[in-house]
Amino acid sequence: MPNRVRTAVFPVAGLGTRFLPATKAMPKEMLTVVDRPLIQYAVDEAREAGIEHLVFVTGRNKGVIEDHFDRQYELEHTLEIRGKTEALSELQKDLPSAGQTSFTRQQEPLGLGHAVWCARELVGNQPFALLLPDMVFKAKPGVLKQMMDAYEERGGNIIGVEEVDPSEVSSYGIVARGDGPDTGFPITGMVEKPKVGEAPSNLFISGRYILQPEIFALLSEQTKGAGGEIQLTDAMQRLMHTQPFTGVKYEGRVFDCGSKLGFLTANVAFALDRPDIAGDFMTEIRKLALDGTLG
C-alpha cells in the first residue's frame, strides 16, 4: 500500500492581475462563486478526500486568507444572539480544526514550481496533494477523492485531466496517454502549451495533483523555464524518469476561475445548482433574455 496522503498544498501567492482592480486589495482566492470564496471550494474538496493538514503558500497582502480560516468571535456571537443558527452552523462547519492549517510565504513571484518548493519543510518526506484554487470543480465525488482512489490502487504520482477542444491545446499543459481506463492510465509524457496539431492528446492538466516528495529535490535545482519562472511541469517531466505518473480523467467539469469568462460561468453553474436561489435566478436570466440585455 502506498503511503497515505495527509497533506495538501494550496499556492495562493499570485497577484491576480487578470482581475484588477478587484484584486488590488483583495486576494483573488477570496473572490466568491455565489457565496463561497474560491479557496473554500478547494479546501472543501481536500477535506472530502481525507486531507488532514492544509498548507497555504501565501504572499504579501494575503492575510485575509488566514483570517478566513480562523474564528471570528464577534461575528459568531452576533449570529448566536440574533438566532441565526443556520448561518452560524455553516461558519463553524467550514473551519478546520485547531492546528490543521499552516502558512508559509513565497517571497518572490517565481512560479508554481517555486511555490510548491516553498512548502517543502511543512510537507516533509511524505506524498502530498496540490490544489490550484483558481480551478473550481463541479464533481461528485470531488476530483481529489477520485484521484485518491487511483492513488490507493497504483501509488506514484497522480494528475487530474480533462478534455479540451483540440484547437485550444496551446493554452494548457497536455499529457500523452498510455493504455488504460479513464479512472487510471499511464502518462507517458507531458508538453507545456504545445502548438495546435502537435499535441500528444487533448487531455489538459487541470490543477489537481498527488505528488511524491522527491519532487522537492528536483525543484530545488530546477532552472527557470517559460516566463522566467520555475515550472512544475519541468520538474514532473524529470521525475517521470524514475517514478510512474497516472492520469485520472475525472467525472465532472472544471471552471478556470483565473479567467473572467470561467469565473462568470462558474457563478451561473453553481447558482443554478442551488435549490435556494436557482428558480429565482433562472427567472432573472429569462427576463434579461426577453428584454434583449443578453443580446
Side-chain angles (χ1 to χ4, degrees), residues 112-114 116-117 157 190 211 214-223 230-242 245:
L112 176 58
H114 181 257
V116 173
W117 180 77
N157 303 273
M190 303 176 202
L211 298 170
E214 286 77 13
I215 195 75
F216 292 123
L218 297 175
L219 288 169
S220 68
E221 58 189 37
Q222 183 69 49
T223 57
I230 297 173
Q231 298 291 338
L232 178 65
T233 302
D234 293 342
M236 291 194 300
Q237 287 173 325
R238 295 170 61 198
L239 187 58
M240 285 184 67
H241 296 307
T242 57
F245 275 73

Side-chain angles (χ1 to χ4, degrees), residues 35-293:
D35 54 5
R36 298 176 74 75
L38 298 179
I39 187 61
Q40 188 67 59
Y41 285 96
V43 166
D44 291 346
E45 182 184 335
R47 295 173 72 184
E48 178 199 8
I51 293 297
E52 300 170 0
H53 184 200
L54 311 170
V55 175
F56 300 88
V57 182
T58 72
R60 283 178 291 280
N61 302 319
K62 299 279 187 168
V64 67
I65 296 176
E66 189 168 352
D67 291 340
H68 176 71
F69 291 105
D70 197 1
R71 295 193 65 177
Q72 295 192 24
Y73 291 100
E74 296 86 352
L75 175 59
E76 292 177 12
H77 177 67
T78 300
L79 292 174
E80 185 175 9
I81 62 176
R82 292 181 179 177
K84 297 188 175 182
T85 56
E86 185 175 345
L88 179 59
S89 177
E90 279 294 311
L91 283 180
Q92 294 173 339
K93 181 186 69 175
D94 289 342
L95 279 179
S97 301
Q100 196 176 16
T101 57
S102 298
F103 296 82
T104 189
R105 284 286 185 98
Q106 183 185 19
Q107 295 170 324
E108 297 179 82
L110 295 177
L112 176 58
H114 181 257
V116 173
W117 180 77
C118 289
R120 66 198 183 282
E121 297 295 337
L122 293 170
V123 173
N125 191 33
Q126 297 293 327
F128 63 99
L130 173 64
L131 298 90
L132 308 191
D134 285 357
M135 311 302 278
V136 175
F137 295 82
K138 276 183 64 56
K140 292 183 179 180
V143 169
L144 187 60
K145 176 65 172 66
Q146 296 178 47
M147 294 169 60
M148 285 288 199
D149 293 341
Y151 175 77
E152 291 172 3
E153 179 181 342
R154 298 168 177 265
N157 303 273
I158 312 291
I159 297 178
V161 298
E162 185 171 327
E163 289 187 350
V164 67
D165 189 285
S167 65
E168 300 178 9
V169 293
S170 60
S171 299
Y172 300 94
I174 303 295
V175 303
R177 175 176 181 163
D179 293 333
D182 287 349
T183 52
F185 55 85
I187 291 177
T188 58
M190 303 176 202
V191 183
E192 188 66 31
K193 299 182 178 179
K195 294 180 180 178
V196 175
E198 297 181 5
S201 76
N202 69 331
L203 296 174
F204 74 96
I205 301 171
S206 56
R208 295 294 185 268
Y209 313 77
I210 296 173
L211 298 170
Q212 295 298 316
E214 286 77 13
I215 195 75
F216 292 123
L218 297 175
L219 288 169
S220 68
E221 58 189 37
Q222 183 69 49
T223 57
K224 294 180 180 178
E229 298 180 338
I230 297 173
Q231 298 291 338
L232 178 65
T233 302
D234 293 342
M236 291 194 300
Q237 287 173 325
R238 295 170 61 198
L239 187 58
M240 285 184 67
H241 296 307
T242 57
Q243 292 185 1
F245 275 73
T246 296
V248 174
K249 185 174 176 293
Y250 48 79
E251 295 183 7
R253 180 182 175 184
V254 65
F255 298 90
D256 180 1
C257 291
S259 73
K260 294 182 180 70
L261 180 60
F263 176 73
L264 294 171
T265 304
N267 269 279
V268 173
F270 278 83
L272 292 175
D273 200 36
R274 286 273 298 267
D276 57 329
I277 60 174
D280 291 340
F281 184 52
M282 179 57 75
T283 298
E284 294 302 318
I285 291 176
R286 291 194 180 106
K287 288 180 182 178
L288 292 173
L290 288 173
D291 67 17
T293 305

